[in-house]
Amino acid sequence: MVPSTVRGLALPARLTSLIDRGRWRHLGDAALTEAVPWFEDPLAFVRNPEQMTFA
């Protein structure tokens, strides 16, 4: 089970469930651009709470 907090902030239960089941994954740069088109710079996808803490 993944940690439920990052830097003292609670992660949503649905997110931790997706991470635990291996279903939280990068769908590609095109999908991120479609979801958040206002970002001009490339987005970095974080896969787990450890990467979230580092980021």
Side-chain angles (χ1 to χ4, degrees), residues 12-34:
R14 285 187 174 181
L15 175 59
T16 57
S17 175
L18 289 170
I19 293 171
D20 281 341
R21 294 182 291 143
R23 298 194 63 200
W24 180 250
R25 56 186 179 265
H26 193 307
L27 297 178
D29 291 332
L32 285 177
T33 300
E34 184 178 329

Side-chain angles (χ1 to χ4, degrees), residues 26 32 41-46:
H26 193 307
L32 285 177
D41 295 329
L43 295 172
F45 183 82
V46 290

